[in-house]
Amino acid sequence: VDITVTVSGLPNAPIVSDVDYCKDQLANPLTASPDANHTLVWYDTDGTTVLSGAPTPSTVTVGTTTYYVAQQTAGGCEGAKASITVTIDPLPSAPSATTSVSYCKNEVATALSATASSGHTLVWYDTDGTTVLSGGAPTPSTSNVSTTTYYVAQKNTTTDCEGPKVSITVTVLTLPSAPS
């Protein structure tokens, strides 16, 4: 009776990339690229607890966490683990700005201003608080008596994380009547 013994080589570690998120950013499940006809085996941060699938990292806490993934052949041979480092970057603070500006009706207005911290840039938002103004700081209109609010935040130029918005309220006041 002939007995055939097949010795299979272990698969390589899957191809992975480290990921960065800003604190509290919506995260996606981690990804890895296995070889053809291989399946992925995901491990928790301890490197030994097998997970049911690709983990979605928490972005609640600033810091670095490492997950692991290996690939397995159809015959059950598992190769070396690859590590995926997940970095959660802090959010910058709000920029400093004068939060209330007043003009008389039809007075010439100047562009709103704010000050970003070193290593940060300002991100200006229109009155809806969501539309980014590509031209930078807005110059409010003074043609109508009204109260309008603009918003500004600062973004870290290294991590691309954006902090909270500051509201700047612009009030256009009624001109007094002519004296009698």
Side-chain angles (χ1 to χ4, degrees):
V1 174
D2 290 335
I3 299 175
T4 303
V5 176
T6 304
V7 177
S8 299
L10 293 176
N12 296 319
I15 297 169
V16 298
S17 296
D18 294 338
V19 292
D20 284 272
Y21 286 104
C22 298
K23 183 179 182 320
D24 300 324
Q25 182 180 355
L26 181 63
N28 294 313
L30 299 178
T31 60
S33 299
D35 293 336
N37 301 317
H38 290 69
T39 57
L40 295 173
V41 181
W42 289 95
Y43 290 88
D44 206 354
T45 57
D46 61 10
T48 58
T49 304
V50 176
L51 301 173
S52 61
T56 300
S58 169
T59 61
V60 174
T61 305
V62 172
T64 302
T65 308
T66 303
Y67 291 90
Y68 301 90
V69 61
Q71 56 182 339
Q72 189 175 63
T73 64
C77 294
E78 185 176 312
K81 295 174 188 160
S83 62
I84 300 175
T85 301
V86 179
T87 303
I88 309 302
D89 296 312
L91 297 179
S93 59
S96 60
T98 301
T99 58
S100 181
V101 179
S102 295
Y103 290 102
C104 292
K105 185 175 187 238
N106 297 323
E107 183 179 350
V108 176
T110 59
L112 299 177
S113 66
T115 304
S117 303
S118 177
H120 294 74
T121 58
L122 294 174
V123 181
W124 287 95
Y125 289 88
D126 205 354
T127 57
D128 61 7
T130 57
T131 304
V132 175
L133 298 173
S134 59
T139 299
S141 169
T142 61
S143 60
N144 294 310
V145 172
S146 65
T147 299
T148 308
T149 303
Y150 292 90
Y151 302 87
V152 62
Q154 63 178 342
K155 182 184 283 192
N156 184 304
T157 56
T158 302
T159 65
D160 217 28
C161 293
E162 184 177 313
K165 296 172 185 153
V166 172
S167 60
I168 300 175
T169 303
V170 178
T171 304
V172 178
L173 306 167
T174 306
L175 291 174
S177 353
S180 55

